[in-house]
Amino acid sequence: MITDKEFTLRLIRQLSQALEKLILDKPEESLMQKELDFDSLMRDIFKMSFTEISSKTKEEIIEIVNERQERDHKDYYEMLGNLFYYKGKAEANNDFLDKGKTFYELYLQTSGIFALPVINRISEIKKALE
């Protein structure tokens, strides 16, 4: 029997992978046909829409993540980094880009992984915010 936490973590990983493909401009056909519905995915993961989550401060979002199991934090931060990076670029929104940078940095800290694509995105965001 799949638990709610396992289901949510699977959604987070699937969303993160889908966003990664969008960021790299390599979306799969099924992804293009399905179109990501950020609001419904955010409701499934955080019990609020993307608009609600994006209106929160970085600190408030971090607090929401901290309420989850610590072992899952890296997955949340990677997904949030991808989400805010993608939305920030698509909408030319510096607040989203700044949030993306923060969540990518937290992802690197919590995962202990040396992820060059993430480091490159952080550098790209820093230049865009200057």
Side-chain angles (χ1 to χ4, degrees):
M1 182 172 167
I2 190 162
T3 66
D4 190 41
K5 289 179 185 177
E6 291 169 341
F7 175 72
T8 302
L9 195 56
R10 188 170 21 158
L11 277 178
I12 291 166
R13 289 178 179 155
Q14 287 173 345
L15 176 58
S16 193
Q17 290 170 354
L19 286 164
E20 189 77 31
K21 289 176 181 171
L22 284 173
I23 289 167
L24 297 172
D25 290 326
K26 297 178 183 176
E28 297 174 353
E29 278 184 38
S30 61
L31 179 64
M32 295 304 289
Q33 292 170 350
K34 187 177 174 188
E35 265 192 60
L36 285 176
D37 182 354
F38 293 111
D39 280 341
S40 67
L41 287 166
M42 291 297 101
R43 278 192 190 93
D44 290 342
I45 295 168
F46 292 110
K47 311 300 184 233
M48 62 184 81
S49 69
F50 175 75
T51 304
E52 292 170 291
I53 195 96
S54 65
S55 69
K56 296 192 174 296
T57 66
K58 293 183 280 192
E59 293 76 18
E60 290 171 322
I61 299 171
I62 291 167
E63 188 58 38
I64 292 170
V65 172
N66 285 338
E67 293 170 359
R68 290 1 189 230
Q69 289 187 357
E70 188 173 337
R71 67 184 169 101
D72 301 334
H73 289 184
K74 67 182 183 315
D75 294 310
Y76 278 93
Y77 290 137
E78 180 184 25
M79 181 268 301
L80 287 165
N82 285 340
L83 178 64
F84 282 105
Y85 174 77
Y86 174 74
K87 293 292 269 184
K89 285 190 66 143
E91 298 176 14
N93 184 320
N94 283 347
D95 181 52
F96 288 177
L97 288 174
D98 185 50
K99 286 177 181 175
K101 180 177 83 65
T102 299
F103 296 126
Y104 276 146
E105 289 169 345
L106 287 167
Y107 165 70
L108 292 175
Q109 290 170 11
T110 57
S111 70
I113 295 172
F114 179 80
L116 193 56
V118 172
I119 293 168
N120 290 338
R121 286 186 203 131
I122 291 170
S123 295
E124 180 184 332
I125 293 169
K126 285 180 181 177
K127 287 178 187 173
L129 295 176
E130 289 177 350

